[in-house]
Amino acid sequence: MSTTVNRVRAAYDRVEAVDRPEIWIDLRPREEVEREARSIDERLAKGEQLPLAGRLFAAKGNVDVAGLPTTAGCPSYAYHPEADAPVVAGLRAAGAIVLGTTNLDQFATGLVGTRSPYGAVRNAYDPARVSGGSSSGSAVAVALGIVDFALGTDTAGSGRVPAAFNGIVGLKPTRGLVPTAGVVPACASIDCVTVFARTLPEAEQALSHMATGTIPSLPGRRPGPWRIAIPPRDQLGELDEGWAQAYEAAVEQLAAAGATLRELDLSPFTEAAAMLYEGAFVAERYTAVGAFVDKATAANDDSLDPTVAGIITRARDLPAHQLYADMDRLAALRTRALAELADADALLLPTTPGHPTLAEVAADPLGANARLGRFTNSTNLFDLAAAAVPAGEVNGLPFGVMLIGPAYTDERLARIASLLQPETRLAVVGAHLTGQPLNPQLLALGARLDRTTTTAPVYRLHALRTTPPKPGLVHVGEGGAEIEAEVWRLSAEGLGRLLATLPRPMTLGRVQLADGTHVPGFLCEPGALKNAEDITEYGGWRPYVNAE
């Protein structure tokens, strides 16, 4: 069976296993997606170049996917697009397969992930906490290993807050690099289509097939180490317990990697952030969907989220003179902010000040949401680029930071962000192989396939009596054989999580590959081989399973 079909089947099995129906608005029929997977493999066999072949993705429910309704999180708003949005079309042209559309804060209005008639999207790590919005379903689908990457949108931080809360990467490109045609607008002048993935390289690869804009020539960067701006501690305001220490650890990690640090006055950023909802700019949300909301409200349409409807309808009556006053104030704040950045390559911030529970958001929906946007709201108002990446854990939950830089410094931000993402390699030979039952464990940790190879001819492979079935790889030296292996890249933190759940008789050891190199890999305690069938002659676990 094709690798792509195996990946599709593993994804749908994962959908059932995680039992998170609130992630999806519309999930494509499994048989339809499997047919598309077979078509991808046929095209590859004919020599087509499909750089994203076999990669699965999801699209936020305000992005057009042909064959599925676009709801923007409101069933009565739904329309049926005749074509994919350009971002979806670009990914599919590269061989990626879309599984469906995901839940969101209605009309992309919110940073919490709870404002939807399709249900609140629960956090991937702690179901009692919010997933972050508005791109909630997309982020959780990635974090739980269902899809390889997913599309979000970002007006106030919706492509970054869910990344931070679910331990994944969120890239918010410079405005205009990625087309927003075929996307229901929130605030059309500052909306961005974003991408989530479990690793930075995966996110960058997907983004390269979404972008259609060109990056202008930038002034030459002064030579030297990366220059990172950080605010004084008191300007960060109140943070959740342990978050200040986690942020400081990320700062120290960049410094240890050779970056130079300097202070920055954060006040123009936070003052502008407050203007996004408290000022006249929210009127653009009424321009986008206000007429529909007014009509639906008059008809007592119960599919409207009351918090979202209230925000949009209140924006209807804002006076025009307030908008012009706010535009003047924003221009002055932007001038100050860019002067503060000066020759800094990036500003490093916690992505949010904290991570609320579902109950806390229900008790104070506007206040909780406003707090989450403290560091993210100003980015698009100032026409900046941003990358949100994991930076450890606090009390067992993901903690994320955000790098912000001037327009068109997207690649620079990614390079700096990579300094916060140390990686290791892991060799697998059995149930963690692509398409096998335990492969989703690797995907959920952000692992990506590096290469398929074989071990050195010093191992023997045995079929263990375990559930699910898995092999045991044992080093024997003389009398061994080459065994098919996959080498995966994942973060050191991800490897630690995997080891914490590794059951006996599996162990982690050094596995010698055919090229003579050694990488960490799964081995087996020799005592577990009693009554285990020696399957070395098959050359690998997959040939044995197929023969069985």
Side-chain angles (χ1 to χ4, degrees):
M1 185 181 296
S2 76
T3 299
T4 307
V5 172
N6 276 336
R7 176 68 186 98
V8 167
R9 291 184 174 179
Y12 279 90
D13 289 346
R14 184 70 176 154
V15 169
E16 294 178 6
V18 300
D19 191 25
R20 293 290 191 93
E22 77 272 13
I23 291 174
W24 303 96
I25 294 178
D26 284 287
L27 190 64
R28 295 174 63 198
R30 180 171 181 157
E31 297 77 13
E32 177 183 304
V33 179
E34 286 189 14
R35 285 196 301 271
E36 187 173 341
R38 293 187 186 93
S39 175
I40 292 293
D41 283 322
E42 290 169 2
R43 292 166 61 189
L44 287 171
K46 292 177 181 176
E48 278 195 58
Q49 297 298 310
L50 299 172
L52 295 180
R55 311 299 284 173
L56 306 184
F57 74 103
K60 186 176 180 177
N62 61 342
V63 180
D64 287 351
V65 175
L68 298 177
T70 302
T71 67
C74 182
S76 58
Y77 179 83
Y79 64 88
H80 294 268
E82 296 182 357
D84 291 329
V87 286
V88 174
L91 293 167
R92 296 181 86 167
I97 298 174
V98 59
L99 287 194
T101 55
T102 55
N103 201 358
L104 67 153
D105 279 330
Q106 193 170 79
F107 297 121
T109 302
L111 292 174
V112 288
T114 65
R115 301 171 174 177
S116 172
Y118 298 97
V121 181
R122 296 166 291 166
N123 181 259
Y125 286 78
D126 180 358
R129 293 183 183 267
V130 300
S131 59
S134 59
S135 310
S136 50
S138 286
V140 176
V142 170
L144 292 178
I146 299 170
V147 294
D148 301 297
F149 61 91
L151 302 182
T153 60
D154 189 312
T155 304
S158 298
R160 292 164 282 160
V161 171
F165 288 170
N166 293 283
I168 58 176
V169 172
L171 297 184
K172 190 218 76 69
T174 298
R175 281 166 29 197
L177 281 184
V178 175
T180 55
V183 178
V184 178
C187 293
S189 66
I190 59 173
D191 291 342
C192 294
V193 178
T194 64
V195 63
F196 298 109
R198 286 181 295 276
T199 66
L200 192 56
E202 284 180 303
E204 288 187 279
Q205 184 186 33
L207 191 61
S208 70
H209 294 280
M210 296 160 54
T212 59
T214 57
I215 298 179
S217 297
L218 298 175
R221 178 184 177 276
R222 182 166 58 84
W226 296 120
R227 294 177 285 275
I228 308 300
I230 56 173
R233 173 65 184 85
D234 62 338
Q235 288 194 344
L236 291 176
E238 182 182 357
L239 304 179
D240 278 7
E241 180 184 358
W243 282 45
Q245 293 85 347
Y247 170 66
E248 289 162 5
V251 172
E252 292 170 4
Q253 187 172 344
L254 287 180
T260 60
L261 308 175
R262 68 166 177 80
E263 280 202 348
L264 162 148
D265 178 9
L266 193 62
S267 60
F269 295 87
T270 52
E271 288 176 32
M275 293 176 68
L276 187 61
Y277 278 97
E278 296 175 9
F281 298 116
V282 72
E284 194 168 15
R285 293 186 183 269
Y286 185 84
T287 302
V289 295
F292 169 82
V293 171
D294 283 345
K295 184 177 179 180
T297 300
N300 294 315
D301 185 345
D302 61 4
S303 68
L304 283 180
D305 180 88
T307 302
V308 172
I311 291 169
I312 293 172
T313 54
R314 284 193 296 272
R316 175 186 53 208
D317 301 322
L318 288 167
H321 66 80
Q322 184 179 343
L323 176 61
Y324 282 97
D326 284 356
M327 289 172 64
D328 287 345
R329 184 184 175 207
L330 179 66
L333 289 172
R334 184 174 187 271
T335 298
R336 285 176 53 197
L338 293 180
E340 286 295 328
L341 281 173
D343 68 343
D345 295 302
L347 164 63
L348 179 70
L349 292 170
T351 307
T352 70
H355 188 173
T357 64
L358 292 166
E360 288 168 342
V361 170
D364 183 14
L366 294 178
N369 191 91
R371 183 178 185 238
L372 294 184
R374 176 174 173 82
F375 303 131
T376 60
N377 282 1
S378 63
T379 307
N380 284 326
L381 289 173
F382 285 165
D383 193 17
L384 305 176
V389 294
E393 291 185 351
V394 176
N395 297 324
L397 293 173
F399 171 79
V401 295
M402 177 174 57
L403 289 153
I404 301 172
Y408 302 110
T409 60
D410 305 72
E411 184 176 354
R412 181 185 303 172
L413 295 178
R415 298 287 69 75
I416 300 171
S418 68
L419 300 177
L420 296 166
Q421 306 291 288
E423 284 191 323
T424 187
R425 291 177 173 81
L426 176 70
V428 300
V429 300
H432 286 88
L433 292 166
T434 300
Q436 294 300 304
L438 298 184
N439 184 252
Q441 290 183 356
L442 289 178
L443 298 175
L445 293 169
R448 70 186 193 280
L449 181 62
D450 182 80
R451 67 187 189 278
T452 299
T453 182
T454 64
T455 69
V458 292
Y459 297 92
R460 297 200 70 81
L461 194 68
H462 300 259
L464 304 178
R465 299 178 180 273
T466 58
T467 302
K470 61 174 71 80
L473 185 71
V474 179
H475 184 276
V476 295
E478 292 286 336
E482 293 184 345
I483 303 298
E484 180 192 22
E486 288 180 349
V487 178
W488 288 74
R489 290 178 178 265
L490 74 165
S491 68
E493 179 188 12
L495 181 60
R497 289 185 187 175
L498 189 63
L499 290 179
T501 62
L502 192 65
R504 297 187 66 183
M506 310 310 296
T507 64
L508 188 74
R510 281 163 47 90
V511 174
Q512 184 179 358
L513 302 177
D515 62 4
T517 61
H518 291 80
V519 298
F522 290 139
L523 297 170
C524 177
E525 297 173 352
L529 302 183
K530 184 179 180 181
N531 300 322
E533 179 185 2
D534 189 321
I535 59 172
T536 307
E537 63 180 322
Y538 290 91
W541 179 244
R542 281 187 290 216
Y544 167 74
V545 170
N546 291 336
E548 285 292 293

